[in-house]
Amino acid sequence: MKTAFITGITGQDGSYLAEHLLEQGYKVVGMMRRSATPSTARFAAVEDRVEIGHGDLLDQSSLMRLLDEHKPDEIYNLAAQSFVHSSFHEPIHTSDVTGLGVMRMLEAVRLVCPKVRFYQASSSEMFGEVHETPQRETTPFHPRSPYGVAKVYGHWATVNYRESYDMFACSGILFNHESPRRGKEFVTRKISDHVASIVFGEKDQLALGNLDARRDWGFAGDYIRAMHLMLLADTPEDYVISTGTTESVREFCRIAFERVGLNYEDYVVVDPRFFRPAEVELLLGDAAKAKEKLGWEPEVDFRGLVEMMVDADLQTRLDMYKEPTRGFLPDTLKVS
Ligand code: NAP
Ligand code: GDD
């Protein structure tokens, strides 16, 4: 039985990846950092089948101890301070975790288990002020946030360790991917959660920043399959993972409100607090290499994603309130 070691197990991607690898017959070890209120909610469905190791990307010795203890075959480095907006408020912390944290993981691998297969969670945020559209593996990076800068550092550190030490190290340059498990600070989940609040009378408004920003949004459950495929390949390489479509925040709002029979223009207000000092206006990925070499394809399209997220947030409220106060509910929802 192969052992997979996942940093960021408590996050969105960590939970989907843990479920997927367990289904594939892996032993899964997840790294969690110490917290006064530790949350295993996202991977609750498989909690009893995941072994937890306590460690932190800020603490080199904890990483080495865990790798020595668990001797993994595959490592997925998903942990990061991943919220772009916060990276402007906490640039040093973000650099330390999201950038230097990768170097700490790579050093731990080099010293403890150099034959392991290593996945680094790189990001389309590295393309930032894009130099070409669509973006592919060869597109130059031009990050627009401390988070993006830190991800570029982690990306090149991974490439450098592959070239210097012949390590099986891959970077997945993943475009935005979402799900009902997405944190509520990210725009998609903020919208789906507010739609449900508005329908059940908890809130009357949704305050957002730049409605014209465009993203290539996919479903997290599709994207974690690509991570696994990268580590099963014959050679370690970097891959763009994306849907190949781009939509605006405004369009996400339109479809999300339409799902419950409401017009987003009646509820969405623009609030300057949610704008960023520098913005990434457009992302659109070309995943041709992953399709050809890994046989990877996304299964959920944009409308399917929006509806999945809105329905999940409605379902949670429906279980509490039974009746909506505005709009209507999709037929597929059930009162439990
Ligand atoms: P997420 O939900 O924000 O999860 C981040 C994880 O990192 C959490 O488990 C968090 O633990 C952990 N973490 C933060 N600081 C840590 C530290 N110092 N030591 C150990 N763990 C720490 O992120 P996600 O959406 O699942 O994304 C997974 C990875 O992919 C991240 O690296 C992200 O930057 C990258 N990425 C995401 C996307 C996307 O659209 N989702 C796209 C491209 C790349 P706590 O629960 O303790 O906070
Ligand atoms: N969060 C947020 N909140 N974003 C808003 C809001 C708002 O109220 N209003 C408009 N936006 C815009 C942001 O300015 C940005 O252009 C876009 O919505 C998406 O923002 P986020 O959902 O916060 O995601 P992100 O694109 O900045 O970063 C995510 O994707 C990256 C991959 O490109 C994160 O998951 C990163 O970790 C990931 O690397």
Side-chain angles (χ1 to χ4, degrees):
M1 182 190 272
K2 283 204 235 175
T3 299
F5 181 82
I6 304 176
T7 73
I9 186 87
T10 59
Q12 170 188 258
D13 290 6
S15 67
Y16 282 105
L17 181 64
E19 288 171 8
H20 178 69
L21 293 175
L22 285 167
E23 266 170 36
Q24 305 286 314
Y26 280 68
K27 174 183 172 189
V28 173
V29 180
M31 185 178 89
M32 272 177 78
R33 57 180 171 163
R34 195 266 160 188
S35 160
T37 46
S39 175
T40 54
R42 284 194 176 101
F43 65 99
V46 292
E47 194 177 346
D48 54 345
R49 296 163 64 202
V50 171
E51 196 169 320
I52 292 299
H54 289 278
D56 195 309
L57 282 191
L58 298 176
D59 185 317
Q60 180 76 54
S61 65
S62 69
L63 305 177
M64 296 178 70
R65 174 181 49 76
L66 286 172
L67 297 191
D68 189 43
E69 217 169 286
H70 296 286
K71 304 198 170 22
D73 301 283
E74 296 172 10
I75 295 177
Y76 296 86
N77 186 36
L78 308 186
Q81 191 304 90
S82 76
F83 188 36
V84 173
H85 193 89
S86 289
S87 78
F88 287 102
H89 302 302
E90 298 177 10
I92 312 298
H93 174 74
T94 303
S95 306
D96 208 352
V97 178
T98 306
L100 266 184
V102 184
M103 190 61 98
R104 291 190 191 96
M105 277 304 299
L106 288 165
E107 268 299 272
V109 170
R110 184 179 72 82
L111 294 167
V112 179
C113 49
K115 297 284 170 227
V116 83
R117 293 190 168 213
F118 179 84
Y119 173 87
Q120 167 55 20
S122 283
S123 164
S124 52
E125 189 70 15
M126 301 189 302
F127 296 123
E129 181 75 18
V130 298
H131 288 212
E132 65 174 342
T133 297
Q135 296 86 51
R136 44 180 73 91
E137 291 79 4
T138 49
T139 303
F141 299 141
H142 184 155
R144 296 272 283 169
S145 62
Y147 168 82
V149 171
K151 281 288 179 188
V152 171
Y153 176 87
H155 180 83
W156 283 117
T158 305
V159 173
N160 179 247
Y161 269 55
R162 179 169 72 216
E163 293 174 354
S164 304
Y165 305 114
D166 200 26
M167 277 170 40
F168 195 105
C170 307
S171 271
I173 307 175
L174 271 53
F175 282 62
N176 299 50
H177 46 279
E178 320 292 314
S179 73
R181 297 183 201 167
R182 186 59 142 155
K184 289 182 187 173
E185 66 275 36
F186 298 96
V187 76
T188 55
R189 183 73 198 290
K190 181 174 172 182
I191 296 168
S192 64
D193 188 58
H194 274 72
V195 166
S197 307
I198 288 168
V199 165
F200 286 98
E202 291 173 353
K203 293 200 172 99
D204 301 315
Q205 265 190 352
L206 165 56
L208 293 172
N210 181 8
L211 298 181
D212 297 317
R214 300 180 76 87
R215 291 290 183 275
D216 182 329
W217 276 298
F219 171 50
D222 284 339
Y223 284 38
I224 53 90
R225 285 190 285 110
M227 299 176 186
H228 184 215
L229 289 171
M230 283 178 221
L231 295 200
L232 295 182
D234 291 338
T235 50
E237 293 183 40
D238 305 325
Y239 295 88
V240 158
I241 301 297
S242 63
T243 67
T245 60
T246 187
E247 301 287 353
S248 63
V249 172
R250 186 186 302 282
E251 182 63 3
F252 196 106
C253 289
R254 195 186 67 71
I255 297 183
F257 278 89
E258 184 185 87
R259 180 74 174 157
V260 291
L262 300 177
N263 182 349
Y264 81 95
E265 289 170 312
D266 296 333
Y267 299 95
V268 172
V269 293
V270 172
D271 184 333
R273 282 182 306 143
F274 299 111
F275 282 81
R276 294 166 184 187
E279 175 64 291
V280 172
E281 294 291 349
L282 164 79
L283 290 174
L284 173 62
D286 175 1
K289 179 180 171 186
K291 287 180 186 175
E292 190 199 318
K293 290 195 150 187
L294 302 176
W296 178 81
E297 289 278 352
E299 285 172 7
V300 177
D301 67 6
F302 179 67
R303 180 175 283 274
L305 176 67
V306 180
E307 294 182 351
M308 176 203 299
M309 293 179 70
V310 170
D311 288 6
D313 281 316
L314 289 170
Q315 186 69 60
T316 313
R317 301 297 195 302
L318 186 59
D319 292 342
M320 285 191 284
Y321 297 112
K322 311 297 179 206
E323 289 290 335
T325 56
R326 292 190 186 100
F328 58 69
L329 296 176
D331 299 339
T332 41
L333 297 195
K334 303 219 163 35
V335 183
S336 58

